[in-house]
Amino acid sequence: MSHDAFLGNHAAPYRGGKEPFPLSPSLWAATAGAPPPTEALAGAARADVAVIGGGYAGLSTALHLAERGIQAVVLEGREIGFGGSGRNGGQVIPGLKYDPDELLSRYGPEHGERVIDFAGRTADVVFDLIERHGMDVPRARAGWIQGAHTPQALEVAHRRAAQWARRGVDARPLDRGQVAALLGTDKYLGGWLDGRAGTIQPLSYVRGLARAAMNAGARVHTGSPVVSLKRDGGKWIATTASGSTVTADRVVMCTNAYGADLWPGLKPSIIDANTFQVATRPLPDAVRAGILPQGQVCSDTRNLLLYFRLDHQGRLLMGGRGPFREPRGVADWRHLERVMVKMFPQVAGVPFEFRWCGRVAITRDYLPHLHEPAPGLLIDIGCQGRGVGLQTAMGKAMADYVATGDAAALPVPLSEIRPFPLYGLRRLYVNAVVSWYRLTDGGV
């Protein structure tokens, strides 16, 4: 199986047991631009900073370090974008789960404003990098609609729009008719529109980041999983599965849900939930014209949220919950196929062309976390479904912190690693929560 086929099919590297169910490549692997040429690390290397993980955060960190003249080496266990950076829905949504007023309450006036400013600009960072480096990335920036599925959720959505609008953001509330016209479905009671958001081809983008980082002077090694990380004589030594090493003054760890077991205690601090996606064949022109006609993207207010968009070739994508386990067959995506047709009856009969899934890292408080558990080791984890913009901008912030040592460069305070309670039972309580949410969210 090729790396790209594996990239599209499964949520984590195969670790033994029953062979994963074989599928076609993901939509993104099938339509992405070619990656830059890379090789596995061979022998012993030295660097100022070793970056572990070749996704948005790791490559953004390496790029911004290299632009400062700081030598960075990226170690990626599989291929560029193998993890969440190559599997997500390609929605570039600024902000965090919490609204500005909640962030002020949580962090206090000074740091709260810093978090709000950072979160509000994450989409800008993505689109600016694409333009500045001339990346060949299909993209659009028409905004994001959050559809409200209950009257209570509608009140929250309108309050959210008002908070951002007071801060000068292109944000406005939408009533039921406006949402129906913009989405092409009448399943929502209303919502709000955030004009800062947009879409990208996510795998093309992460490959573009890799190319930009390499052009700036960073070294990027694929097929180089780090199996050991230790400190010796004031230096960090990252050892890969082949026995090759990178010795560096500092390490930035950006593996998110795909390598959290590298540092003790980190993996129990997240729930590595599985999110599933399907995509149709390109829609007939008459059908396509009535779905998201102005090019926005959407995710809704359900606890088990649904998210959908059109890709650059006119396919309709739908993402949402899936089994916590690895997929066993096409039936694991049937619920999304049924939901899509219920929401958009006009696509009935259009074949589904792609099915894929991937892991997301959910933290206890639904916020991104930065940890510094040992001198010279910075760990970034948690994206909560906003990873494209959030992790790209986080990489820039981490590079600033590594270069200057100024904690004010970081958007969120450094924190201790805290495990989920009863982590060994996470599959049981995640499944219980999913069942409860399925009841309380209501049908489509």
Side-chain angles (χ1 to χ4, degrees), residues 60-97:
S60 176
T61 301
L63 167 61
H64 289 97
L65 286 172
E67 289 179 335
R68 285 175 169 267
I70 297 173
Q71 188 180 53
V73 172
V74 177
L75 299 174
E76 163 56 42
R78 299 297 296 250
E79 296 296 313
I80 297 299
F82 173 81
S85 297
R87 303 170 188 268
N88 64 83
Q91 299 192 12
V92 189
I93 304 172
L96 297 169
K97 178 180 175 64

Side-chain angles (χ1 to χ4, degrees), residues 21-23 327-335 337 355:
F21 184 80
L23 300 169
R328 295 173 181 165
V330 172
D332 285 332
W333 283 265
R334 291 291 188 229
H335 62 294
E337 296 173 9
R355 301 172 182 88

Side-chain angles (χ1 to χ4, degrees), residues 28-382:
W28 308 132
T31 63
T38 56
E39 297 179 347
L41 178 69
R46 290 185 173 273
D48 297 324
V49 182
V51 179
I52 303 174
Y56 301 135
L59 292 168
S60 176
T61 301
L63 167 61
H64 289 97
L65 286 172
E67 289 179 335
R68 285 175 169 267
I70 297 173
Q71 188 180 53
V73 172
V74 177
L75 299 174
E76 163 56 42
R78 299 297 296 250
E79 296 296 313
I80 297 299
F82 173 81
S85 297
R87 303 170 188 268
N88 64 83
Q91 299 192 12
V92 189
I93 304 172
L96 297 169
K97 178 180 175 64
Y98 300 100
D99 299 328
D101 290 356
E102 293 173 298
L103 292 171
L104 284 174
S105 177
R106 176 177 290 268
Y107 289 108
E110 181 179 352
H111 211 115
E113 289 293 346
R114 188 189 307 169
V115 174
I116 294 165
D117 181 69
F118 169 83
R121 298 178 185 275
T122 57
D124 294 338
V125 176
V126 172
F127 290 106
D128 289 351
L129 280 175
I130 291 172
E131 292 294 333
R132 179 156 62 91
H133 293 280
M135 299 181 194
D136 182 15
V137 179
R139 60 197 182 276
R141 198 172 186 185
W144 165 64
I145 295 168
Q146 186 176 39
H149 72 296
T150 66
Q152 295 79 10
L154 183 59
E155 291 181 10
V156 172
H158 285 182
R159 186 167 63 246
R160 182 168 293 145
Q163 288 186 34
W164 281 112
R166 286 196 299 269
R167 292 176 170 272
V169 170
D170 176 18
R172 64 181 189 271
L174 301 172
D175 62 26
R176 185 167 197 159
Q178 290 171 316
V179 167
L182 290 171
L183 298 185
T185 178
D186 61 0
K187 300 300 183 182
Y188 295 109
L189 303 181
W192 75 291
L193 172 64
D194 185 340
R196 300 169 295 180
T199 64
I200 57 166
Q201 210 285 15
L203 186 56
S204 288
Y205 171 55
V206 72
R207 288 175 173 177
L209 271 180
R211 185 173 284 107
M214 294 168 69
N215 288 342
R219 288 175 285 163
V220 178
H221 294 284
T222 52
S224 303
V226 177
V227 296
S228 172
L229 189 59
K230 67 177 183 179
R231 189 166 172 82
D232 183 14
K235 300 283 187 179
W236 283 94
I237 301 173
T239 304
T240 70
S242 70
S244 298
T245 61
V246 172
T247 300
D249 297 320
R250 303 199 58 161
V251 172
V252 179
M253 183 174 163
C254 307
T255 58
N256 215 40
Y258 284 84
D261 51 356
L262 179 60
W263 187 258
L266 185 62
K267 188 170 184 179
S269 73
I270 61 167
I271 298 294
D272 52 341
N274 225 345
T275 182
F276 281 55
Q277 296 176 69
V278 296
T280 66
R281 288 183 184 173
L283 300 177
D285 290 343
V287 175
R288 181 178 178 178
I291 297 176
L292 296 161
Q294 295 185 24
Q296 287 90 4
V297 298
C298 182
S299 56
D300 64 24
T301 53
R302 290 178 171 84
N303 289 300
L304 301 176
L305 64 81
L306 298 171
Y307 53 98
F308 49 91
R309 58 166 287 196
L310 293 172
D311 83 333
H312 60 289
Q313 296 176 339
R315 298 175 180 85
L316 181 60
L317 286 70
M318 175 74 73
R321 65 170 177 83
F324 194 93
R325 58 169 170 77
E326 296 303 306
R328 295 173 181 165
V330 172
D332 285 332
W333 283 265
R334 291 291 188 229
H335 62 294
L336 288 175
E337 296 173 9
R338 290 192 295 268
V339 166
M340 183 187 286
V341 174
K342 284 183 179 180
M343 292 190 66
F344 299 98
Q346 56 269 50
V347 306
V350 178
F352 289 90
E353 189 174 13
F354 296 98
R355 301 172 182 88
W356 71 101
C357 61
R359 298 279 175 186
V360 295
I362 301 172
T363 59
R364 291 180 60 168
D365 55 9
Y366 298 100
L367 286 166
H369 284 201
L370 293 172
H371 306 300
E372 200 168 51
L377 172 62
L378 181 62
I379 298 175
D380 164 45
I381 198 160

